[in-house]
Amino acid sequence: MSEGVSSEPQTLSETEAEFEGLEVDAPLVGIVMGSKSDLEVMQPAEKELGERGVRCEVRVMSAHREPDKVADYAKNAKLRGLRVIIAGAGLSAALPGVVAAHTDLPVIGVPLTSRHSVAGGLDALLSISQMPPGVPVACVGVDSARNAAVLAARILGA
Ligand code: RP5
């Protein structure tokens, strides 16, 4: 039998493992953020990963305004070959936690300042770091998108 996806019945994890092997050009890191207004401050994450040769994709999706889109993205992330998700958000900053609720991939949250932030982004910092037991989100400093990328690369051993 030739190599490739087996036609035999198999478990979901076996299928996932085979597809992970096939998707050679798939991004390994997903960079998501709650608003287009977050793009500029999140850009250093994409830049850092690019310089390290780590494939990534960038998506805008709001946990509050587009909850179904966020859930679908997180649920399908592992099957699509993603290994780490970086999620930036400001204000109540639910995005990293909601992503972590729908995937067992490591999620790195980036608390962001925004024009409505209180205490310079402390609102987002607390929202992202105060996750309930069993649903972890790693949290870098306020507006520290580059550090999130460095941490993602270290998780990947890249
Ligand atoms: C958060 O609200 C976003 O991540 C952004 O930081 C903040 C403001 O969003 P916009 O009103 O600029 O779309 O959800």
Side-chain angles (χ1 to χ4, degrees):
M1 187 174 174
S2 64
E3 287 187 26
V5 178
S6 166
S7 58
E8 297 293 318
Q10 54 188 358
T11 65
L12 182 58
S13 59
E14 287 170 333
T15 305
E16 286 178 20
E18 286 189 349
F19 273 99
E20 277 184 10
L22 290 173
E23 299 277 343
V24 288
D25 292 329
L28 296 175
V29 179
I31 302 172
V32 298
M33 62 205 79
S35 170
K36 281 183 184 170
S37 65
D38 300 327
L39 269 168
E40 188 177 345
V41 72
M42 289 300 292
Q43 205 166 25
E46 183 182 19
K47 183 170 182 281
E48 181 71 28
L49 291 170
E51 288 172 359
R52 290 168 179 260
V54 177
R55 295 183 303 278
C56 66
E57 65 181 15
V58 177
R59 300 280 186 277
V60 174
M61 58 187 73
S62 167
H64 296 113
R65 295 165 175 154
E66 305 163 295
D68 293 340
K69 181 176 177 180
V70 173
D72 286 347
Y73 182 84
K75 285 176 186 173
N76 292 320
K78 195 172 185 180
L79 193 57
R80 293 181 50 239
L82 294 176
R83 303 264 305 279
V84 182
I85 297 177
I86 294 171
L91 303 179
S92 65
L95 184 61
V98 171
V99 170
H102 290 292
T103 181
D104 58 7
L105 292 173
V107 177
I108 304 170
V110 186
L112 303 176
T113 52
S114 85
R115 63 193 186 283
H116 300 300
S117 291
V118 293
L122 182 61
D123 42 5
L125 179 66
L126 293 175
S127 292
I128 291 174
S129 61
Q130 294 293 319
M131 288 294 290
V135 191
V137 169
C139 183
V140 295
V142 173
D143 292 342
S144 298
R146 183 182 171 211
N147 256 6
V150 173
L151 181 55
R154 289 186 180 184
I155 290 169
L156 292 168

